[in-house]
Amino acid sequence: MNVLRAVVCVCLLVTAGAVAAQTTSECPSLPASSGLQWQSLVQRDFILCKATAADGREVLSLTLSARNPELPLNRALRQEKGSFAGETLYWYQPDLGGQQPPGYDTRRITVVKFDKNRFAQIALYAGDKSELGSLQTLAQGMNLTPSAVAAGR
């Protein structure tokens, strides 16, 4: 009987953890139609939100921080223009030291300063050009949660 209780408790904890990962209040809300789910890591000085597709692929990551990530964004790798949190941005192909692994042409990264000492680093890992466009549109429409902004992350 005690073993059964322990198994039930473990199952409930695992389920609660999975639900918390899907409904993380620190991460921007995702449209239900996107089929994406957040997994998050909340630390004292940053929030990391990773969106995964139904097949388990990470397709988007968003890091909110009070520190500038000082990521070098090479103008030669500049691609599309966009926006996030009301700020204009450019998407860049990541600088991988000249390497171009499979899927490189649909990877994008950017850094946005959206408030005094508040930064967002966004990376997209699209499977194709169509998914890239969808992810860029999704990022453009994201609203930052009041708790994440208020916490100064």
Side-chain angles (χ1 to χ4, degrees):
M1 186 70 157
N2 286 337
V3 173
L4 180 60
R5 256 187 232 173
V7 169
V8 169
C9 286
V10 168
C11 289
L12 289 174
L13 287 173
V14 169
T15 303
V19 170
Q22 296 171 15
T23 60
T24 301
S25 64
E26 298 285 349
C27 297
S29 60
L30 293 167
S33 63
S34 71
L36 302 177
Q37 295 180 340
W38 284 125
Q39 294 178 338
S40 67
L41 173 64
V42 179
Q43 296 291 317
R44 186 179 62 78
D45 57 348
F46 72 91
I47 299 169
L48 172 62
C49 302
K50 292 182 179 183
T52 55
D55 62 4
R57 287 181 308 120
E58 178 184 339
V59 295
L60 183 150
S61 69
L62 168 66
T63 304
L64 301 171
S65 175
R67 293 183 308 176
N68 184 345
E70 298 184 20
L71 184 70
L73 298 172
N74 185 341
R75 187 177 175 102
L77 297 174
R78 183 184 282 182
Q79 300 296 313
E80 304 84 8
K81 191 173 185 177
S83 67
F84 178 80
E87 299 296 326
T88 301
L89 61 83
Y90 283 98
W91 292 102
Y92 294 82
Q93 284 189 298
D95 186 351
L96 302 178
Q99 296 180 18
Q100 295 188 6
Y104 175 74
D105 59 329
T106 57
R107 291 185 187 178
R108 296 292 185 270
I109 193 161
T110 195
V111 174
V112 178
K113 182 176 182 179
F114 63 90
D115 200 359
K116 183 178 179 179
N117 295 322
R118 293 202 176 113
F119 297 87
Q121 179 178 320
I122 309 162
L124 307 177
Y125 310 101
D128 57 34
K129 294 281 186 185
S130 174
E131 187 177 41
L132 175 62
S134 296
L135 290 171
Q136 288 173 326
T137 300
L138 178 75
Q140 182 171 325
M142 283 185 183
N143 291 320
L144 296 178
T145 61
S147 60
V149 175
R153 298 183 191 134

